Amino acid sequence: MNDRIKEHLGKPPCPRLSGPTDPTRDRSRLKRRGAFVTARGRRGLSTTIGFACAALFATGAQAVTVQGGDWELDVGGIVNAYYTTVSCSGDTVAGPALGGRALGCSGKDHRTTIGNGLLPSGLVTKFRTRQDGIDIGGTVGIMVHAATGSGIDANSGVDVRQAFFTVGTADAGTLKVGRDYGVFGANAILSDMTLLGAGAPTQATQRGRVTLGHIGAGYTYLGTYGQMTYTSPSFGGGFTFTGALVSPVDAGAYQSGSTPQVQAQIAYAGDGWKVWAGLKSQKFEGASGSPADGHDFTEAAGEAGASFTAGPFGLLANVQAGKGLGILTDGDQGDIKGVNYLVQGTWQTTERIKLGLSYGQSRNRSGESAGTDAFKSNENLTGGLYYKLTQSITLAGELGETRSKDFAGREARQYGGSFGGIIFF
């Protein structure tokens, strides 16, 4: 993952998902009495490590910083757009079949869109201060999409993915309160090379939202939740622990139970290695009058992954498995047992050029639940070239194939390509 993405998504350097802020950092400034404005200094090309805080053509974000009194405010953002073209063929596969005509090509055999990649565009504001020996910070991120199905209607879809604050100290750790990305699955998606591109260019989501990367074909979306999350300081030579109480969510015919969702992760970083393990759990109840009425279940999923970097080469592997894990999001396949795999290799060929190849699969282990309609799996293979045009702009070109299968042996295929760029400011 890119340091710039960490900046704009409100994530401090790994292995923490949130951490104490330091209002004295990054103060290369033009000062005035009582206030100043500054452009955050460039950090230069970072070492690629293929993890949630790894650099992919990394340079520092150029956020504008404003200070008044003890408060420091950063204003920055992301804008991206990709030309994607896809072709769909094969059988009709029901359920969340990303390779089928319904989702993969939005009901057609071929489709073209110019819209967002895996990341939305957005304006991200961050604030920080220190009071009574406590570091205080927070982020508000307002995201928007590029492509719609109309050239007349207002593009009024606004996605507030982040609105949280943090309090903590270097010795005690950090408490985060508000809306933010989940803990479970964060390392997978934030390490995905296609985060700077499109990945699986699923047309049903790109018009009015984003593409999917390896969501539903390698990992389940990490989600955005109301939460209270604690992240420990580093201990034991490089370990950190993160635990979260998360506002429970509904899933189709299933409603959330009366208790919060729980997510947790332990991670280790050192000597080119990043290793992590996590879990999440939530009670789901069948909605009254629905086909799931009277059928309750508990989502119980685990995750393990690792990345390793040696010079210009980076490797990543992540696996998620459990009951109620879902293909795209929590519990969307009912109480079916599922498993997700993601493997990735990258090569920084020059200072500006990076090549990568990633493969992911998400599958149900049985087709017995009426909610799955015999859906079996999605898999996606993507090859990408990423070119650092400037300190702030990365251009990306990707080619990929997505296949979807059911337990009856039917298979749908989507072939897609994308090119475009992303800017961090």
Side-chain angles (χ1 to χ4, degrees), residues 211-238:
T211 61
L212 292 183
H214 281 287
I215 298 170
Y219 45 76
T220 302
Y221 183 51
L222 77 168
T224 49
Y225 309 88
Q227 60 187 272
M228 294 184 176
T229 301
Y230 170 75
T231 299
S232 74
S234 181
F235 63 92

Side-chain angles (χ1 to χ4, degrees), residues 38-360:
T38 180
R40 191 169 296 238
R42 296 179 177 177
R43 299 175 186 165
L45 189 71
S46 300
T47 303
T48 302
I49 61 174
F51 179 60
C53 61
L56 184 57
F57 314 129
T59 52
Q62 303 298 312
V64 173
T65 301
V66 180
Q67 177 149 338
D70 295 331
W71 287 93
E72 193 172 89
L73 181 72
D74 288 352
V75 180
I78 308 167
V79 178
N80 72 90
Y82 297 87
Y83 178 104
T84 62
T85 180
V86 294
S87 172
C88 294
S89 60
D91 305 316
T92 298
V93 176
L98 304 184
R101 290 178 178 86
L103 296 180
C105 290
S106 196
K108 299 179 179 292
D109 292 335
H110 304 274
R111 193 81 175 193
T112 296
T113 300
I114 299 175
N116 288 109
L118 179 52
L119 282 173
S121 297
L123 184 66
V124 180
T125 302
K126 296 167 45 176
F127 57 87
R128 67 182 67 86
T129 189
R130 185 177 179 86
Q131 298 177 355
D132 300 325
I134 298 174
D135 295 309
I136 300 171
T139 297
V140 178
I142 301 174
M143 313 300 177
V144 296
H145 55 266
T148 66
S150 172
I152 299 176
D153 294 340
N155 180 10
S156 57
V158 175
D159 185 1
V160 182
R161 298 189 177 190
Q162 296 174 293
F164 67 85
F165 73 91
T166 61
V167 293
T169 67
D171 294 330
T174 300
L175 177 66
K176 174 171 62 180
V177 178
R179 180 175 177 82
D180 197 13
Y181 296 94
V183 176
F184 186 94
N187 289 322
I189 191 169
L190 298 180
S191 304
D192 189 347
M193 69 182 196
T194 70
L195 198 63
L196 289 185
T202 306
Q203 298 294 283
T205 62
Q206 192 184 23
R207 289 176 176 244
R209 204 161 174 84
V210 295
T211 61
L212 292 183
H214 281 287
I215 298 170
Y219 45 76
T220 302
Y221 183 51
L222 77 168
T224 49
Y225 309 88
Q227 60 187 272
M228 294 184 176
T229 301
Y230 170 75
T231 299
S232 74
S234 181
F235 63 92
F239 287 93
T240 56
F241 170 78
T242 301
L245 294 178
V246 172
S247 183
V249 295
D250 299 333
Y254 295 93
Q255 297 177 337
S256 56
S258 58
T259 56
Q261 183 178 130
V262 176
Q263 298 189 18
Q265 179 192 90
I266 188 166
Y268 172 81
D271 297 327
W273 283 95
K274 302 289 181 180
V275 182
W276 57 89
L279 59 84
K280 68 175 175 179
S281 180
Q282 180 189 313
K283 178 69 177 294
F284 285 94
E285 300 173 352
S288 178
S290 75
D293 192 359
H295 181 69
D296 302 344
F297 74 94
T298 298
E299 175 189 26
E303 177 181 48
S307 69
F308 177 70
T309 300
F313 298 100
L315 296 173
L316 167 74
N318 193 78
V319 60
Q320 301 171 337
K323 182 179 181 180
L325 174 63
I327 296 294
L328 297 174
T329 187
D330 297 300
D332 67 4
Q333 299 292 283
D335 61 353
I336 287 293
K337 293 180 179 178
V339 61
N340 301 321
Y341 302 98
L342 177 68
V343 292
Q344 177 177 283
T346 57
W347 177 28
Q348 188 83 45
T349 61
T350 71
E351 186 180 80
R352 291 181 180 268
I353 297 175
K354 185 170 191 170
L355 302 177
L357 185 67
S358 60
Y359 171 80

Side-chain angles (χ1 to χ4, degrees), residues 390-406:
T390 72
Q391 296 286 351
S392 299
I393 298 175
T394 296
L395 305 180
E398 297 174 339
L399 294 173
E401 178 187 40
T402 303
R403 292 176 179 258
S404 300
K405 301 177 182 179
D406 62 24

